[in-house]
Amino acid sequence: MSFFGFLKDWSLPIAMLGGVAAYFIYVNIPFFDSTHAAVGQFIAFLQPALIFSMLFVTFCKISFSDLRLERWHFILLAFQLLTFIAFSLVAAYAPLTPSLRVLVESFMLCLICPTATAAAVITARLGGSAASLLTYTITMNFAVAIVAPLFLTLAHPVEGAGFLPSFLLILGRVFPLLLCPLVAASLVRRFFPSFQQFMTTKCRNLAFYLWLVALSLAIGLTVKSIVHCDLSVFVQMGIAVVSLVCCVVQFAFGRYIGRRYGDAVTGGQSLGQKNTVFAIWLAYTFLTPVTSIAGGFYSIWHNTVNTWQLYRRNHPKKIETNIK
């Protein structure tokens, strides 16, 4: 295997390991101690900028007419919302120890978390429909903005966090990063068709490379949240298992429903690949803050699944030979 072939096959784990290494190197060099606050502010700006850029490149290949709701969207939507509501009722009314409550809230986070905005990039590389996935992403984010405030405040009451403030807070968090790139790409398509053509033909892999940078940042933040978590190792392992179970179940169910409607890849990515940065924010804002590491662990699991899927797509004959 050539060096570039190796990078192509293992770009996701390389990006993840790069994020881990960068975090530990950075925090263990005393010279950079005074820069932590500034770097944190820069990353807070860089992450949404990367997401905007990824979606803009993707939307340049898609028009409004491509965004159509399909029956399987509603099935996956019902699965996410009903399972989230069920665990919310458990958290609200069941007598739980503090450790069990953390695990139940971790289930809630992993189930209600909407599809990652970058999932369209992986879906396209896996041969799925980026347009169909983006349709589900927009629909799910709007559903989260309505349902999450009702049940998060029921399961974990927060002073001053009524439905309307929570609804506007969630809406303001997710929708600008979804709609602004769509509007910008539509304007480019309408008034600058040559630039849109350039983005479509000459920058086909740009969104993927941007996503690798965003992934490294996300994993670095995940490591930070785990390192600074004051939970016992036992509870952290429990959260890791909860997030793994949620990841496997959602990818499997999404692929099962997607396959029934002719697109297993898009179904699996729609339900399985999550906006874990949003999940971490949701935990800090509405739930027990330590549950934020559930989003961090989920990020590791769904990117491990994506690594396997990309490798399998790039080397189908090798996979078949190994199975035989």
Side-chain angles (χ1 to χ4, degrees):
M1 180 186 295
S2 68
F3 176 72
F4 291 105
F6 176 82
L7 291 180
K8 179 181 178 182
D9 289 341
W10 303 104
S11 53
L12 269 66
I14 290 172
M16 293 166 68
L17 291 173
V20 174
Y23 171 77
F24 283 113
I25 292 171
Y26 174 69
V27 299
N28 285 289
I29 297 179
F31 177 78
F32 293 123
D33 287 350
S34 61
T35 67
H36 289 181
V39 169
Q41 293 175 355
F42 175 71
I43 291 176
F45 163 79
L46 182 59
Q47 276 192 314
L50 287 169
I51 292 172
F52 178 94
S53 301
M54 285 185 288
L55 284 177
F56 172 74
V57 173
T58 303
F59 278 131
C60 278
K61 307 172 186 177
I62 299 170
S63 65
F64 273 111
S65 61
D66 296 323
L67 304 178
R68 296 187 298 272
L69 280 169
E70 301 177 42
R71 182 176 297 179
W72 66 265
H73 289 147
F74 294 101
I75 297 174
L76 298 191
L77 190 68
F79 174 85
Q80 278 197 257
L81 297 182
L82 292 176
T83 52
F84 165 72
I85 290 171
F87 278 100
S88 298
L89 294 176
V90 171
Y93 298 113
L96 301 172
T97 64
S99 296
L100 283 178
R101 171 168 290 278
V102 166
L103 296 182
V104 170
E105 290 184 2
S106 297
F107 269 113
M108 291 168 57
L109 278 177
C110 293
L111 291 167
I112 195 58
C113 186
T115 309
T117 49
V121 178
I122 296 297
T123 301
R125 292 184 76 89
L126 291 172
S129 170
S132 188
L133 182 135
L134 286 167
T135 303
Y136 182 77
T137 302
I138 293 170
T139 306
M140 185 59 204
N141 274 279
F142 189 71
V144 168
I146 296 174
V147 175
L150 290 171
F151 289 92
L152 287 173
T153 53
L154 175 67
H156 193 103
V158 178
E159 185 177 353
F163 170 76
L164 185 59
S166 300
F167 170 77
L168 295 175
L169 192 63
I170 293 175
L171 206 65
R173 177 78 182 188
V174 296
F175 263 77
L177 281 181
L178 284 171
L179 298 184
C180 291
L182 179 59
V183 172
S186 299
L187 292 174
V188 166
R189 183 186 296 274
R190 175 67 178 85
F191 296 106
F192 305 99
S194 58
F195 181 71
Q196 184 266 333
Q197 185 67 21
F198 171 79
M199 295 298 294
T200 302
T201 57
K202 302 297 184 181
C203 301
R204 289 179 296 176
N205 295 318
L206 177 59
F208 182 71
Y209 298 139
L210 290 172
W211 182 68
L212 291 177
V213 177
L215 175 59
S216 291
L217 290 176
I219 293 298
L221 293 175
T222 295
V223 173
K224 177 184 177 182
S225 66
I226 294 173
V227 168
H228 293 280
C229 178
D230 57 1
L231 291 175
S232 67
V233 174
F234 177 77
V235 176
Q236 289 192 50
M237 290 177 62
I239 294 175
V241 171
V242 164
S243 60
L244 176 59
V245 169
C246 288
C247 182
V248 172
V249 168
Q250 290 183 105
F251 265 109
F253 185 76
R255 288 187 66 87
Y256 170 74
I257 297 300
R259 188 177 295 111
R260 292 184 61 184
Y261 289 89
D263 196 346
V265 168
T266 308
Q269 298 306 121
S270 295
L271 198 57
Q273 188 170 345
K274 301 291 189 180
N275 184 351
T276 53
V277 174
F278 176 75
I280 292 170
W281 172 81
L282 208 63
Y284 274 110
T285 307
F286 296 101
L287 295 172
T288 308
V290 292
T291 58
S292 63
I293 66 171
F297 280 121
Y298 197 101
S299 178
I300 295 170
W301 305 139
H302 79 191
N303 283 300
T304 301
V305 173
N306 284 337
T307 299
W308 165 248
Q309 292 185 120
L310 288 170
Y311 184 83
R312 185 176 61 180
R313 180 168 177 81
N314 292 334
H315 302 281
K317 294 182 179 180
K318 185 182 293 187
I319 296 296
E320 291 176 5
T321 302
N322 291 337
I323 291 175
K324 292 178 181 179

